[in-house]
Amino acid sequence: MTDQPVRVYVPATVPLLVTLRGGQLAVSAGHAVTPGLREWYAEGDEEELEYVAFTRAAQEALRLLRADPGAPRRRVVISADLPPGAARPAGGELGDSAVRLTGPVPLAAVAAIHVDGADAAADVAAAAEVAEAALAGDPDAQFTVDTVEDHELEWYDVSELDTLL
């Protein structure tokens, strides 16, 4: 077992950032480089594995937006370094990056915040509407979701949280 922090990518929305500003974010799931992801993508280096986990968190942020129609149409991913044991693999499937969190994500653990720029809002809105259908295998919905991935999430330091909001 390692004593190194675990980088977890937490899917979120802008309203959840407001909650985080209060000192912590009570969420139960995220994405990380899990043993199942490492085994599935054995030829990938650490950076590639982290990118897969990050991308999956961004995709999951679309589902959160669908559940919160009042939230600004921007994907949010919070990168946090949590202590060992704070994130446990959620599934045993090969390639799975989903993790269950054992407690809230403290603001002090946040390494960076990633948010779509305003120019992505229309594509993000369209993708949020069809994210579930894409997961169910609808190719047209998947095309719409893939379109949003053309937008790079902007990087913000945690010290910029107030400015971001």
Side-chain angles (χ1 to χ4, degrees), residues 88-102:
R88 303 188 188 279
E93 291 185 34
L94 191 61
D96 197 353
S97 64
V99 292
R100 291 196 200 310
L101 303 179
T102 60

Side-chain angles (χ1 to χ4, degrees), residues 14-150:
V14 171
L16 288 173
L17 289 178
V18 174
T19 304
L20 177 65
R21 185 171 54 183
Q24 67 181 14
L25 185 60
V27 292
S28 60
H31 289 269
V33 177
T34 63
L37 181 58
R38 272 187 207 288
E39 186 178 344
W40 172 73
Y41 194 28
E43 71 279 0
D45 63 22
E46 194 66 23
E47 187 174 322
E48 291 170 315
L49 293 168
E50 295 277 346
Y51 184 75
V52 170
F54 175 86
T55 301
R56 289 179 180 170
Q59 291 169 344
E60 193 152 330
L62 291 172
R63 296 173 72 201
L64 294 176
L65 287 171
R66 175 82 170 125
D68 186 357
R73 304 286 93 177
R74 293 181 171 183
R75 296 170 297 165
V76 176
V77 176
I78 299 166
S79 298
D81 294 322
L82 301 177
R88 303 188 188 279
E93 291 185 34
L94 191 61
D96 197 353
S97 64
V99 292
R100 291 196 200 310
L101 303 179
T102 60
V105 175
L107 182 58
V110 174
I113 300 166
H114 311 271
V115 182
D116 272 310
D119 64 324
D123 288 340
V124 171
E129 288 301 313
V130 299
E132 293 295 332
L135 283 172
D138 181 322
D140 292 331
Q142 188 60 56
F143 178 79
T144 302
V145 169
D146 289 346
T147 298
V148 83
E149 291 181 16
D150 291 339

Side-chain angles (χ1 to χ4, degrees), residues 2-8 46 50 80-86 109:
T2 179
D3 291 335
Q4 296 296 318
V6 176
R7 172 64 54 98
V8 177
E46 194 66 23
E50 295 277 346
D81 294 322
L82 301 177

